């Protein structure tokens, strides 16, 4: 093993997770401590992906500090005896299974590419913290960065797993398009937009492989430069309150569209908006029949410039026809020439991904693993909080925010609990969103939402005489709510991610039922 030169006075050693990385003090290669959450979450996701992939091959994991998970599936037979059943039909018997540990090269393991490695920190963390890996390529198109990557690989003693590579990431991926040469995991975390790398990425990822993509060009994705967004991602972004979730859906649309060119399609596993960036984890599969479904998974977005009411129009339709599917163009229009609530015009955005952002089963596995090993990451608390919110989210595109609803009718803002409970007792589902602190995701129609705001305004009146006849508030409040307003005292639970305490409130919406605190076991309207 080669002896590694000790860091000089002009260099700094930064420790993150299990990795120690040498950085020039002049910051020639950029280190961003805010992205530690991103790297921690990526290690957690890849670990569970590897666990899932290798379990079918009879390979188990040993993670330092992880409490052993014991699952027993019992079948009560007719004679009353308990019979243990295997949870996987094709899982090898215990005698045939073997175990891999962190830092051990696994011949049947995952092949990982970090396309834009900079200092190699992320790749070295994979080698030091994620079991079940065969090889890791830490690539960069800067000679100084590659030299630093080589030093850091030696400094951490992971030469048997990590290889430094100097290449344009696109050319590296294009050269690995062969069925047996593809990567199992590709991580793209550029400074700015990943758009130029996506075409190569969807071709060089293996069947069912995991593609991890970060976007930091939020000004483009959040609607400040819609025309630039269209040129990069093939979708028009809109400046709106739901811009962070829309950014996720624009990126997923772009990934699926590029994959479709090669008879491939994506399945989102986890999609998050955090800090100044968005991050998606998607699996890529091949299948002509599934690709035909892609048009029905995309939608145009109509957003009212006055009150913020939005509508989705699917690009295509897929209808069962006997044993097959019948595909056709979407039908419309979804709206009239002007908004039915405030008479203002609509902006058109998209297309965007209109299907679920997450695989809740997979997210729960990542969350469970984090809870079994809370000391594994420095940001474990934030990871668990984020994933808990994700598991509660409704699989419904976009959301409203209470401040925007209140601003439209010029009245005080109801609390999240009041508004959520009003929707629940009106018979609709509701959840929060990880992408925005005061967001409401619901399957209620816009007419129900505005009825609730009209009822709320009756309890918190605005000065109608000061409203302009052209304002959204004038038109919205000029219509009476369909529900009979009255004060209803209701007990209900906060969502599990927020609180387990019961709360009493009063809102102008007709009561459905009055519960005793001790009788409430589960808020059935939560996703």
């Amino acid at each position: 093993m080669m002896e590694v030169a000790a860091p000089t006075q002009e260099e700094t050693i930064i420790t993150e997770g299990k990795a120690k990385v040498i950085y020039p003090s002049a910051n020639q290669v950029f280190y961003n401590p805010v992205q530690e959450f991103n790297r921690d979450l990526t290690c957690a996701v890849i670990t569970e992906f590897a666990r899932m992939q290798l379990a079918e091959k009879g390979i188990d994991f040993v993670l330092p500090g992880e409490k052993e998970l014991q699952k027993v599936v019992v079948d009560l037979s007719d004679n009353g005896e308990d019979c243990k059943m295997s949870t996987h039909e094709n899982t090898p018997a215990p005698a045939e299974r073997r175990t891999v540990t962190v830092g051990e090269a696994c011949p049947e393991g995952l092949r990982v590419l970090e396309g834009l490695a900079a200092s190699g920190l992320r790749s070295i963390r994979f080698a030091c913290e994620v079991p079940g890996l065969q090889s890791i390529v830490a690539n960069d198109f800067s000679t100084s960065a590659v030299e630093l990557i080589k030093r850091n690989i030696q400094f951490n003693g992971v030469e048997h797993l990590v290889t430094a590579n100097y290449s344009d990431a696109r050319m590296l991926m294009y050269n690995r398009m062969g069925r047996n040469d593809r990567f199992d995991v590709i991580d793209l975390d550029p400074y700015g937009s990943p758009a130029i790398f996506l075409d190569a990425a969807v071709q060089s990822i293996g069947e069912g492989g995991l593609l991890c993509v970060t976007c930091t060009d939020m000004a483009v994705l959040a609607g400040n430069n819609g025309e630039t967004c269209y040129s990069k991602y093939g979708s028009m972004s809109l400046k709106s309150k739901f811009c962070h979730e829309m950014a996720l859906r624009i990126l997923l649309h772009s990934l699926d569209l590029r994959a479709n060119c090669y008879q491939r399609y994506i399945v989102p596993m986890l999609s998050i908006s955090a800090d100044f960036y968005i991050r998606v984890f998607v699996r890529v599969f091949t299948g002509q029949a599934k690709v035909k479904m892609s048009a029905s998974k995309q939608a145009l977005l109509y957003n009212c410039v006055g009150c913020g009411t939005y509508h989705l129009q699917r690009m295509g339709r897929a209808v069962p026809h006997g044993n097959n599917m019948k595909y056709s163009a979407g039908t419309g229009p979804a709206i009239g020439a002007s908004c039915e609530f405030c008479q203002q015009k609509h902006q058109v955005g998209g297309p965007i991904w209109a299907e679920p952002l997450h695989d809740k089963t997979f997210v729960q596995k990542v969350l469970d693993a984090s809870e079994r090993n809370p000391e594994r990451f420095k940001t474990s608390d934030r990871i668990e909080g984020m994933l808990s919110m994700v598991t509660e989210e409704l699989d419904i595109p976009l959301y409203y925010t209470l401040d925007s609803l209140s601003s439209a009718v010029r009245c005080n803002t109801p609390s999240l609990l009041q508004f959520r409970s009003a929707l629940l007792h009106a018979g609709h589902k509701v959840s929060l969103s990880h992408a925005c602190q005061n967001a409401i995701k619901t399957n209620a129609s816009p007419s129900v939402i505005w009825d609730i705001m009209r009822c709320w305004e009756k309890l918190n009146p605005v000065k109608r005489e000061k409203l302009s006849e052209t304002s959204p508030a004038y038109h919205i409040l000029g219509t009476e709510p369909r529900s009979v307003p009255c004060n209803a005292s209701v007990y209900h639970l906060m969502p599990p991610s927020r609180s387990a305490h019961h709360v009493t409130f009063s809102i102008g919406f007709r009561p459905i039922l009055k519960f005793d605190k001790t009788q409430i076991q589960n808020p059935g309207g939560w996703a």
Side-chain angles (χ1 to χ4, degrees):
M1 181 175 176
M2 294 180 58
E3 186 176 344
V4 184
T8 65
Q9 292 182 349
E10 290 76 27
E11 295 175 328
T12 303
I13 296 179
I14 293 177
T15 301
E16 184 180 291
K18 302 295 183 183
K20 293 183 178 181
V21 180
I22 301 171
Y23 278 93
S25 297
N27 282 329
Q28 295 174 0
V29 181
F30 185 67
Y31 170 73
N32 189 351
V34 178
Q35 287 276 39
E36 183 173 3
F37 169 73
N38 183 333
R39 291 184 282 268
D40 284 353
L41 180 62
T42 302
C43 287
V45 169
I46 294 178
T47 298
E48 290 312 302
F49 178 70
R51 194 195 304 267
M52 180 175 64
Q53 294 292 92
L54 297 186
E56 300 174 358
K57 301 177 181 179
I59 302 174
D60 296 322
F61 282 178
V62 173
L63 277 173
E66 184 175 65
K67 299 176 184 177
E68 186 176 354
L69 178 62
Q70 296 182 344
K71 288 186 177 181
V72 178
V73 180
V74 177
D75 174 38
L76 295 178
S77 59
D78 293 337
N79 58 13
E81 296 179 356
D82 292 353
C83 300
K84 293 184 179 179
M85 299 175 62
S86 172
T87 56
H88 300 282
E89 291 182 5
N90 299 323
T91 301
E96 301 174 1
R97 302 186 70 82
R98 63 188 182 88
T99 302
V100 295
T101 59
V102 174
E104 173 188 349
C106 177
E108 304 90 344
L110 305 182
R111 293 173 292 182
V112 182
L113 167 66
E114 184 185 5
L116 308 148
S119 66
L121 171 59
R122 193 179 296 248
S123 293
I124 292 169
R125 286 198 60 185
F126 293 163
C128 295
E129 301 177 33
V130 180
L133 303 183
Q134 179 187 131
S135 62
I136 305 168
V137 177
N139 178 77
D140 206 280
F141 204 25
S142 163
T143 54
S144 60
V146 173
E147 288 304 314
L148 186 60
I149 292 171
K150 291 178 179 178
R151 282 190 66 192
N152 284 323
I153 290 172
Q154 295 174 4
F155 191 62
N156 288 269
V158 291
E159 299 94 328
H160 61 296
L161 274 174
V162 187
T163 304
N165 187 75
Y166 172 76
S167 176
D168 183 326
R170 293 168 294 182
M171 296 310 299
L172 172 60
M173 290 187 284
Y174 281 132
N175 287 329
R176 296 290 293 269
M177 289 167 47
R179 187 176 298 273
N180 297 323
D181 296 329
R182 293 172 177 170
F183 295 101
D184 300 298
V185 178
I186 296 178
D187 190 305
L188 298 174
D189 190 358
Y191 304 133
S193 173
I196 61 174
F197 304 105
L198 300 184
D199 182 76
V202 298
Q203 296 183 73
S204 59
I205 191 74
E207 184 66 13
L210 185 67
L211 183 56
C212 319
V213 183
T214 300
C215 296
T216 58
D217 55 336
M218 291 304 294
V220 171
L221 288 164
N224 286 346
N225 305 99
E227 69 287 348
T228 304
C229 185
Y230 184 83
S231 67
K232 290 183 176 182
Y233 300 99
S235 179
M236 181 67 71
S237 60
L238 299 179
K239 189 179 292 185
S240 58
K241 290 293 183 178
F242 48 71
C243 62
H244 291 97
E245 183 177 323
M246 186 176 181
L248 287 169
R249 295 184 178 278
I250 287 173
L251 177 56
L252 293 174
H253 160 75
S254 184
L255 283 167
D256 194 55
L257 184 64
R258 294 174 199 234
N260 291 166
C261 296
Y262 310 102
Q263 297 300 306
R264 311 195 82 185
Y265 62 96
I266 67 165
V267 176
M269 305 301 285
L270 174 64
S271 310
I272 65 161
S273 171
D275 301 322
F276 54 87
Y277 62 89
I278 58 173
R279 176 79 161 164
V280 300
F281 302 86
V282 304
R283 296 185 70 184
V284 181
F285 295 91
T286 305
Q288 185 177 14
K290 290 284 188 178
V291 169
K292 290 182 179 180
M293 296 284 294
S294 289
S296 62
K297 297 177 182 178
Q298 321 298 326
L300 290 173
L301 171 67
Y302 298 89
N303 186 52
C304 174
V305 299
C307 64
T309 302
Y310 61 83
H311 300 270
L312 294 179
Q313 173 62 60
R314 296 274 179 160
M315 299 289 291
R317 297 177 66 219
V319 181
H321 186 71
N323 295 327
N324 301 311
M325 297 292 292
K326 184 178 180 180
Y327 304 99
S328 62
T331 57
I335 55 171
S338 60
C339 176
E340 62 177 302
F341 303 104
C342 71
Q343 308 307 312
Q344 300 289 319
K345 293 182 179 180
H346 294 92
Q347 286 184 321
V348 183
I352 63 172
W353 178 263
E355 293 296 295
L357 295 175
H358 325 282
D359 181 326
K360 298 288 183 65
T361 302
F362 178 77
V363 173
Q364 188 63 53
K365 289 180 180 178
V366 180
L367 177 59
D368 291 343
S370 180
E371 291 173 344
R372 293 197 307 270
N373 197 356
E375 303 300 323
R376 184 183 180 194
F377 302 116
K378 185 178 178 181
T379 63
S380 286
D381 288 343
R382 187 180 181 189
I383 289 174
E384 292 173 19
M386 176 72 78
L387 298 183
S388 295
M389 287 286 294
V390 165
T391 58
E392 295 169 4
E393 282 186 2
L394 286 174
D395 291 328
I396 293 173
L398 308 180
Y399 51 77
Y400 291 95
T401 62
L402 292 183
D403 58 330
S404 62
L405 294 174
S406 301
S407 176
V409 296
R410 307 288 178 86
C411 71
N412 296 334
T413 305
S415 70
L416 279 169
L417 179 61
Q418 290 172 320
F419 199 87
R420 289 197 308 266
S421 298
L423 284 166
L424 286 170
H425 290 287
H428 301 284
K429 293 183 178 180
V430 60
S431 77
L432 306 180
S433 170
H434 81 276
C436 183
Q437 187 175 10
N438 62 340
I440 290 289
K441 295 176 75 71
T442 178
N443 63 346
S445 65
S447 59
V448 172
I449 291 172
W450 289 119
D451 271 353
I452 293 175
M453 290 306 300
R454 293 181 185 113
C455 291
W456 174 254
E457 187 273 337
K458 289 183 180 295
L459 297 178
N460 301 269
V462 301
K463 296 181 179 180
R464 302 287 184 97
E465 64 275 9
K466 291 188 176 182
L467 297 178
S468 168
E469 293 185 2
T470 59
S471 68
Y474 179 85
H475 292 283
I476 293 171
L477 298 178
T479 303
E480 285 297 314
R482 298 174 183 176
S483 301
V484 179
C486 65
N487 291 332
S489 182
V490 184
Y491 293 103
H492 218 289
L493 287 169
M494 290 286 281
S497 62
R498 289 291 182 93
S499 173
H501 300 291
H502 303 136
V503 182
T504 306
F505 72 95
S506 177
I507 186 171
F509 213 75
R510 73 169 180 264
I512 306 300
L513 210 56
K514 182 172 180 178
F515 296 96
D516 181 80
K517 291 183 182 180
T518 59
Q519 294 176 330
I520 302 181
Q521 301 296 326
N522 179 33
W526 294 108

